[in-house]
């Protein structure tokens, strides 16, 4: 889990990133990225009920993606930006290493 200071918490902030951010797509995730005024990295993960019906499954996917985001924040792969990660249905069958590589590649971090 990434630190609380790096979380996008409010629905209005998430909607703003979704509306104004640039989009990057991978096999398992789509990222919306926008610069923020605070100058620090803010992230959130969205897994819809269309992706996974059960809360257990949605939370499992979120935990995996959050761990990759924690790693990306510590490696400074994303800095000074607000990022919303939207998870595709294919992620529920993917292994952690596949998700890790896809998320880092989608965020533009080349040293996977």
């Amino acid at each position: 889990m990434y630190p609380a200071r790096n979380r996008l918490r409010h629905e209005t902030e998430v909607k703003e990133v979704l509306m104004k951010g640039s989009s990057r797509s991978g096999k398992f995730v789509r990222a919306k990225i926008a610069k923020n005024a605070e100058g620090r990295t803010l992230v959130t993960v969205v897994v819809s009920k269309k992706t996974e019906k059960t809360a257990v499954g949605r939370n499992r996917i979120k935990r995996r993606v959050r761990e990759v985001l924690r790693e990306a924040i510590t490696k400074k792969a994303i800095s000074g930006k607000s990022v919303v990660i939207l998870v595709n249905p294919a992620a529920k069958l993917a292994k952690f290493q596949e998700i890790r590589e896809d998320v880092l590649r989608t965020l533009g971090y080349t040293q996977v």
Side-chain angles (χ1 to χ4, degrees), residues 19-82:
M19 295 295 287
K20 296 180 181 179
S22 63
S23 184
R24 296 182 189 171
S25 294
K27 185 176 179 182
F28 304 117
V29 298
R30 193 172 81 223
K32 290 289 222 168
I33 303 169
K35 291 186 179 179
N36 63 30
E38 296 180 29
R40 67 174 197 251
T41 305
L42 300 171
V43 294
T44 194
V45 179
V46 177
V47 181
S48 73
K49 286 187 180 179
K50 286 184 179 180
T51 300
E52 176 59 48
K53 298 288 184 210
T54 66
V56 172
R58 288 191 302 274
N59 290 333
R60 177 179 293 134
I61 295 168
K62 282 193 250 184
R63 281 193 307 270
R64 290 177 175 185
V65 175
R66 285 178 181 152
E67 177 58 26
V68 176
L69 290 172
R70 183 195 61 76
E71 179 184 343
I73 290 169
T74 58
K75 288 183 176 181
K76 307 284 189 218
I78 46 175
S79 59
K81 297 176 181 154
S82 296

Side-chain angles (χ1 to χ4, degrees), residues 62-105:
K62 282 193 250 184
R63 281 193 307 270
R64 290 177 175 185
V65 175
R66 285 178 181 152
E67 177 58 26
V68 176
L69 290 172
R70 183 195 61 76
E71 179 184 343
I73 290 169
T74 58
K75 288 183 176 181
K76 307 284 189 218
I78 46 175
S79 59
K81 297 176 181 154
S82 296
V83 179
V84 176
I85 300 289
L86 303 161
V87 179
N88 297 334
K92 64 183 173 182
L93 300 175
K95 294 184 179 355
F96 175 75
Q97 189 61 29
E98 295 172 323
I99 292 172
R100 179 184 174 274
E101 291 171 2
D102 188 56
V103 170
L104 292 176
R105 190 177 312 110

